[in-house]
Amino acid sequence: MSLALGDWVSVRGHEGQVRYFGATGFSEGMWAGIELQAAVGRNDGAVRGVRYFSCAPRHGLFVPASQCVKIDGPSDSGSGAPDLADAWVKVEGADEGAALKAGQESQKVIDYLTAQYPHGATPDKAPALKKERSSGGFFGGRSSSRARVKNQLSQGGDEAYATLLAEIDLPPDYAGPCFESRPTAADAAALLSHVKRHVAASEGSAAASSAAVPHRIAMQLLLWARQHFSNVGNVVDISIAQGRVVVVGDTHGQLADFCWLLRSHGPPTLENVYLINGDVADRGAHAVEIFLLIIAFLLAEPAAMHLNRGNHESLDMNVRGFHEGGGFATEVGAKYDSAMFTLFQDVFNLLPLATRVNSEVLVLHGGLSRTNSATLAQISAIDRRRPIPVAPVNAEDMLFFDLMWADPRAVDGVGLSAVRGAGCATFGPDITRRFCEINRLRMVIRSHEVPKSLSGVQVQHAGRLVTIFSASNYCGRIGNTGGTMLLTPALDYQLMEHWAPTVSELLVMEAEEEAEKAPSTPKENPSEKRKSFSAQANELMRADVLQKMKELVCEHKPALAQFYEQHAGGSDVITRETAIGGLREVVPTPLPWDDFLTELVGDAALLSDEDDAVRFRLFLGRYRVAHEQEGWQADLLSSLHDALTHKDLKSTLAFFDPNEDGVVTYEELVEVLVDHSMGIPEASLKALAATLLGQGQTQLPTSSLLARLHVTYRDVTAEAADAAAEVRQAPEWAEQLLATVARQCALRKRDSEQLFRSFDSNADGVVSYGEFQAAMLRLGGYEVDTLTDEQRASIEQMLLDLAAWVDQRKTGAIKYIDFIDAFRILEEPPDASTEAVPGAIRRRDSESLGLSLISQMMEQLCSLFYQHRWSLQRAFEYFDANGDGVLTPEEFGTALRALSELSKAADPRREAHSPAVYS
């Protein structure tokens, strides 16, 4: 490509200007020096001490000319804005897909527990009241004296809720409307004014998460809503002869958008009918208030306000955190309690699935069925009074699922969504055309996603499909306008866009209008508002996408390591193309990895100034799942260690060496690690086994392996104990004695097993205190015949005291694993460079085979817990009968075993086994 100085180019998704073009001193060929608009480069125009041009730090980048794409000039929206928005939307889709996948796995766990423990009881505990899937418990263990009542709310119906409602009082400072009966239109308007004032007053303060609607009023509104939706069908029909229908798409807790739409289009009336097309819940901070306002207007005039169900009106989405695409459970828990969350779920399970306007326009949230023959009659026959199925098992489930989750695509046919995954479908123009023909529809209106144009509205499939998304500047990030549709009785429509002011700004506008009795200052054009926000949006979106990429790298780290090892040819260096190829191959979410690779990899892992080679081990080493309490690794290892301390010599050796030939082979070690791994990928366990045996070794004497494992355990526990200043040490007088015995054994090439057998005179697999005393008198260099009776008695007592110290569990007999701890025999005779000291072992072994092994093992376990956190939560919830967030150790272990058993069932090569970590 021919480039000239001053040309505008796009490089790896970023815009910049050519400031240098020609040969360089750092590599062969012709290189282009680009000054990027964003600080995502590698230098300031200088490389290895040679300055080719000058620019701000990290705005300079050198690339081969072939990587540059000429453009006419900088885009109005800034560098890479459309690409960033597309990547951000893909990240959002990935979060939703992850929620679906977690829900599918969680359902398997619940089914397993229901079959094994039908009454929610562990084997050693009396049956407890099993909690339903719609129950509470997602609020950090918040306890209540009414917890058991809450667990029975869904089954107890209005009577159970009436019990709770009677206990709730209005706050004394509440100044909003009170409802003795179902609200009127004036009541709903008054509630709207109160909510706006409350939210505006608390913006930016600690009270921002407080409830604008008191608990008692909120519960009463939801109970009335539950009665209302119990009497409507799956498909609601709206007939209008005059006026219009205002179709509102996703609002996701963005109260400012909802209030702005009510102001812009007027309040709900019989001639100004509102249809809210789902996804009010999650992501934003005020979904509770939007729901309650919708319900208030709906109760005041049911024909003027309608609400469809969206995929976020679902437990599996709501229980996730705000940063993972959920947040509604957190919001409800902060403003009310778990009983209210249960009641919200009851209402969600009753919401209609679609609404038909004047018989010819169908409004639904997600999309059309992956079949080409779905009918409105089939939609009407769905059993909707349940959570949205996350793992469809029949045609009805699949239709329900697609109505909530499907997305359109430009080409004919159906497919699976590469962005959402988890079985989500895409449907083409032919599916839309066929559906409209079969059901005699003019068009389908849906929501569910931000249009790629970032305009809030999008017409597709030859005009038969329209997407409406109403949350402007979605999540305060992507700078999109919100959209609505105004639908006339003749089914003509107008597509509207908006950029909502904050609630505080809206109140100021309303106050100015009231004072002047005249229209307020004309609002800024939405496209201009979006343009002015673009620079900030780019920064925010880029940070979100980068964070998600880091999480994905962490989650898929073992598979990425395997991919890179296969392509590195024995080195730890790979090309940039290989690094990107691995990310695209292993991580299912299609993201612009090439645009972010430099930031993901980090400066330390880049081999050259121009980031064309990557040290992949350093790259992957940046990412790990950690536990907030770092000392837990020692606790876990201690439990594994305890499992061995109760075994005699024969059982301890057989633990790793089942054929008792005195040698642990690579295959035997892998089998043990697999049995105790709780689902850690076998490829990672094989790598750990190879590390433990030592480079190039295929087997190791059993005693040597145990010594290495024990040193590993001691290194980690000692590190944890250092913080508490509680390092276990031998009595000072005994240190030299222990060192002497260890030195003699090392010089005679006797390992720990041989030494133990020499102590165990009766060969019963344990060393009694008397046996220990006699052996130490023999091996410790004592000349017994020269001792006085008093001296002999003193030494014998000291040795008995030492035996008691070696016996860490105070069982009265020394087990092999504690014996190793006392002596920790050198594997080779000491040389001039090895000082024989108590507990001596070559530091190189301890570091490379100890801490490395444990850190990898702990990282794998943390990663496993992280990946399955939602299934574990659901399993813990199953046993938490009183809703206080506390489980017994037995219940905790049972829940973990359920996940482990399911993991093994998915891999027929693994035999059922109760891991020692659960003991």
Side-chain angles (χ1 to χ4, degrees):
M1 174 186 293
S2 176
L3 292 175
L5 297 182
D7 283 350
W8 281 92
V9 294
S10 176
V11 180
R12 301 173 186 169
H14 304 290
E15 295 175 359
Q17 199 168 17
V18 178
R19 297 290 308 281
Y20 176 86
F21 184 68
T24 67
F26 56 78
S27 186
E28 298 179 354
M30 302 295 286
W31 288 75
I34 311 299
E35 181 179 1
L36 298 170
Q37 288 189 295
V40 293
R42 294 278 293 137
N43 52 59
D44 62 355
V47 179
R48 298 181 185 177
V50 178
R51 180 160 297 283
Y52 297 92
F53 64 93
S54 295
C55 67
R58 297 193 73 87
H59 280 255
L61 181 67
F62 283 83
V63 295
S66 60
Q67 294 188 16
C68 298
V69 177
K70 282 187 178 183
I71 58 176
D72 293 334
S75 65
D76 291 337
S77 59
S79 175
D83 289 341
L84 277 175
D86 182 65
W88 193 94
V89 171
K90 287 177 179 176
V91 164
E92 184 209 18
D95 283 338
E96 291 191 334
L100 271 178
K101 185 177 179 181
Q104 293 162 2
E105 183 183 84
S106 297
Q107 188 57 54
K108 293 178 182 177
V109 171
I110 291 299
D111 291 344
Y112 175 87
L113 290 174
T114 302
Q116 296 293 318
Y117 311 104
H119 299 292
T122 52
D124 58 344
K125 188 175 180 180
L129 176 65
K130 184 179 77 64
K131 304 174 80 171
E132 294 297 319
R133 295 188 74 223
S134 60
S135 65
F138 306 102
F139 313 110
R142 294 174 59 184
S143 182
S144 167
S145 62
R146 301 189 298 269
R148 185 168 294 276
V149 176
K150 294 176 185 177
N151 295 334
Q152 298 172 326
L153 290 175
S154 293
Q155 291 73 34
D158 291 345
E159 182 178 347
Y161 282 111
T163 301
L164 290 180
L165 192 61
E167 300 178 15
I168 303 171
D169 296 321
L170 283 175
D173 58 346
Y174 174 64
C178 297
F179 308 135
E180 296 300 328
S181 59
R182 295 197 177 200
T184 64
D187 292 332
L191 185 64
L192 173 62
S193 296
H194 168 76
V195 167
K196 287 190 290 188
R197 289 194 303 270
H198 177 94
V199 171
S202 62
E203 282 181 353
S205 71
S209 62
S210 64
V213 181
H215 193 169
R216 180 181 179 85
I217 293 177
M219 179 172 284
Q220 183 63 77
L221 286 171
L222 286 173
L223 289 173
W224 283 329
R226 191 173 72 161
Q227 293 172 1
H228 169 82
F229 287 116
S230 295
N231 297 315
V232 302
N234 290 358
V235 180
V236 174
D237 273 301
I238 297 177
S239 296
I240 57 169
Q242 55 186 356
R244 65 187 182 183
V245 174
V246 182
V247 182
V248 178
D250 300 34
T251 53
H252 279 300
Q254 296 187 194
L255 180 65
D257 284 278
F258 185 73
C259 292
W260 177 255
L261 293 176
L262 290 175
R263 178 188 184 279
S264 299
H265 302 310
T269 66
L270 293 178
E271 294 185 357
N272 193 48
V273 179
Y274 275 79
L275 171 52
I276 314 298
N277 197 25
D279 272 17
V280 175
D282 291 331
R283 294 195 176 274
H286 297 290
V288 163
E289 285 75 20
I290 298 175
F291 272 124
L292 296 176
L293 289 169
I294 291 172
I295 290 169
F297 281 109
L298 181 149
L299 293 171
E301 182 48 77
M305 176 67 78
H306 299 271
L307 175 61
N308 284 342
R309 188 175 191 176
N311 65 299
H312 278 264
E313 277 71 60
S314 176
L315 176 73
D316 295 288
M317 294 303 306
N318 299 159
V319 297
R320 296 173 73 84
F322 280 106
H323 69 289
E324 295 180 299
F328 187 66
T330 302
E331 181 189 355
V332 176
K335 294 176 179 178
Y336 304 115
D337 60 14
S338 60
M340 282 291 286
F341 182 69
T342 301
L343 184 52
F344 267 112
Q345 295 302 316
D346 287 349
V347 173
F348 291 170
N349 291 344
L350 295 172
L351 293 178
L353 307 182
T355 300
R356 184 170 55 176
V357 181
N358 282 5
S359 302
E360 293 187 76
V361 172
L362 188 70
V363 183
L364 48 79
H365 178 74
L368 302 180
S369 171
R370 64 195 71 196
T371 69
N372 62 358
S373 58
T375 66
L376 291 179
Q378 291 172 339
I379 296 175
S380 297
I382 292 173
D383 174 16
R384 79 175 193 275
R385 302 184 180 213
R386 54 182 171 135
I388 298 170
V390 294
V393 296
N394 53 43
E396 178 182 302
D397 283 359
M398 190 66 72
L399 178 56
F400 192 173
F401 181 83
D402 287 344
L403 291 172
M404 298 294 109
W405 281 98
D407 292 302
R409 66 180 196 171
V411 297
D412 284 348
V414 297
L416 293 178
S417 172
V419 174
R420 299 188 194 273
C424 293
T426 58
F427 60 97
D430 58 325
I431 302 298
T432 303
R433 182 178 63 252
R434 177 66 174 160
F435 181 82
C436 288
E437 290 172 352
I438 292 175
N439 295 285
R440 298 181 180 181
L441 297 172
R442 187 180 301 187
M443 82 180 146
V444 175
I445 303 171
R446 44 93 63 178
S447 301
H448 193 42
E449 61 180 339
V450 181
K452 291 180 173 57
S453 62
L454 303 184
S455 64
V457 295
Q458 186 175 13
V459 180
Q460 298 168 274
H461 294 184
R464 294 185 179 90
L465 187 73
V466 181
T467 296
I468 305 294
F469 192 90
S470 298
S472 63
N473 193 23
Y474 185 33
C475 296
R477 286 296 190 266
I478 66 175
N480 65 294
T481 56
T484 50
M485 173 188 279
L486 307 181
L487 193 61
T488 71
L491 301 182
D492 299 322
Y493 63 84
Q494 183 180 3
L495 299 177
M496 308 293 291
E497 294 182 64
H498 71 273
W499 182 287
T502 66
V503 176
S504 296
E505 291 170 342
L506 179 57
L507 285 179
V508 171
M509 294 170 63
E510 292 176 348
E512 290 175 350
E513 290 181 358
E514 181 67 23
E516 299 176 5
K517 301 298 182 181
S520 62
T521 304
K523 53 185 178 292
E524 187 176 358
N525 185 295
S527 62
E528 291 298 321
K529 191 77 173 179
R530 184 173 70 188
K531 183 176 179 179
S532 66
F533 180 75
S534 61
Q536 183 181 357
N538 287 350
E539 182 179 344
L540 294 171
M541 285 190 293
R542 185 172 187 84
D544 286 350
V545 173
L546 181 60
Q547 178 61 33
K548 184 62 179 181
M549 286 179 164
K550 290 177 179 179
E551 293 174 6
L552 290 170
V553 169
C554 194
E555 182 178 346
H556 297 279
K557 181 177 174 180
L560 285 168
Q562 186 176 16
F563 180 94
Y564 293 147
E565 287 169 355
Q566 292 173 350
H567 291 78
S571 169
D572 70 342
V573 178
I574 56 176
T575 65
R576 175 188 177 86
E577 289 72 22
T578 300
I580 295 171
L583 291 164
R584 289 174 175 166
E585 175 76 18
V586 171
V587 181
T589 307
L591 293 172
W593 298 103
D594 49 344
D595 295 347
F596 289 80
L597 187 69
T598 299
E599 293 158 279
L600 283 171
V601 167
D603 291 341
L606 295 173
L607 195 59
S608 73
D609 290 320
E610 297 317 312
D611 66 341
D612 52 358
V614 174
R615 294 185 177 95
F616 75 86
R617 298 189 196 281
L618 287 177
F619 161 34
L620 296 179
R622 300 183 71 196
Y623 303 102
R624 69 186 183 95
V625 178
H627 192 277
E628 62 182 7
Q629 297 178 346
E630 292 295 339
W632 80 281
Q633 293 99 325
D635 294 337
L636 178 57
L637 284 173
S638 179
S639 69
L640 289 171
H641 179 261
D642 287 346
L644 292 176
T645 60
H646 297 298
K647 299 179 182 295
D648 59 19
L649 176 64
K650 179 179 177 66
S651 299
T652 301
L653 296 175
F655 188 83
F656 290 101
D657 180 23
N659 62 2
E660 301 184 32
D661 63 355
V663 173
V664 179
T665 65
Y666 171 77
E667 290 76 15
E668 288 173 335
L669 182 54
V670 167
E671 184 176 353
V672 171
L673 292 176
V674 167
D675 282 345
H676 292 76
S677 67
M678 200 180 60
I680 293 176
E682 189 168 328
S684 300
L685 296 176
K686 289 181 177 179
L688 292 177
T691 301
L692 187 59
L693 290 176
Q695 188 171 6
Q697 299 294 318
T698 60
Q699 60 184 32
L700 197 68
T702 309
S703 58
S704 298
L705 175 65
L706 286 169
R708 290 188 177 187
L709 283 174
H710 203 63
V711 168
T712 295
Y713 164 70
R714 282 298 302 269
D715 284 340
V716 175
T717 52
E719 181 179 320
D722 282 341
E726 295 181 358
V727 180
R728 174 177 161 82
Q729 294 181 334
E732 184 176 352
W733 61 267
E735 290 183 356
Q736 186 59 43
L737 176 61
L738 293 171
T740 298
V741 174
R743 185 184 300 108
Q744 289 184 23
C745 291
L747 290 172
R748 299 173 187 174
K749 297 186 177 182
R750 299 175 70 181
D751 61 22
S752 57
E753 179 189 346
Q754 293 169 325
L755 180 63
F756 186 88
R757 292 184 186 278
S758 72
F759 275 57
D760 182 18
S761 58
N762 65 357
D764 64 352
V766 296
V767 174
S768 68
Y769 288 8
E771 289 174 329
F772 182 87
Q773 178 194 67
M776 290 298 290
L777 281 172
R778 183 176 68 253
L779 296 174
Y782 294 104
E783 296 180 5
V784 179
D785 294 339
T786 65
L787 298 176
T788 65
D789 291 343
E790 183 178 353
Q791 289 174 327
R792 181 185 177 100
S794 175
I795 291 174
E796 288 177 343
Q797 184 58 51
M798 292 173 63
L799 292 176
L800 288 176
D801 292 342
L802 180 58
W805 177 85
V806 173
D807 178 19
Q808 296 187 39
R809 300 304 181 275
K810 308 305 178 189
T811 61
I814 299 170
K815 307 299 191 299
Y816 181 41
I817 200 73
D818 285 343
F819 187 85
I820 296 174
D821 183 30
F823 292 100
R824 296 172 70 188
I825 307 301
L826 288 169
E827 294 180 25
E828 296 177 5
D831 54 30
S833 64
T834 305
E835 181 182 2
V837 296
I841 192 162
R842 292 183 298 176
R843 191 63 191 166
R844 180 179 67 255
D845 289 343
S846 173
E847 292 176 349
S848 65
L849 300 179
L851 296 178
S852 173
L853 171 67
I854 293 307
S855 63
Q856 290 182 58
M857 201 67 161
M858 292 308 101
E859 180 182 340
Q860 293 283 1
L861 287 171
C862 282
S863 180
L864 187 74
F865 283 129
Y866 177 77
Q867 291 174 27
H868 297 287
R869 61 196 181 282
W870 299 111
S871 297
L872 288 172
Q873 174 179 291
R874 197 64 58 80
F876 297 157
E877 179 77 7
Y878 184 88
F879 290 115
D880 182 17
N882 66 354
D884 64 356
V886 177
L887 299 180
T888 66
E890 293 77 14
E891 290 169 335
F892 183 84
T894 301
L896 292 180
R897 274 192 291 273
L899 181 61
S900 180
E901 292 299 327
L902 287 171
S903 175
K904 291 167 185 171
D907 185 352
R909 296 171 301 172
R910 302 182 60 186
E911 296 180 0
H913 183 79
S914 296
V917 71
Y918 300 146
S919 299

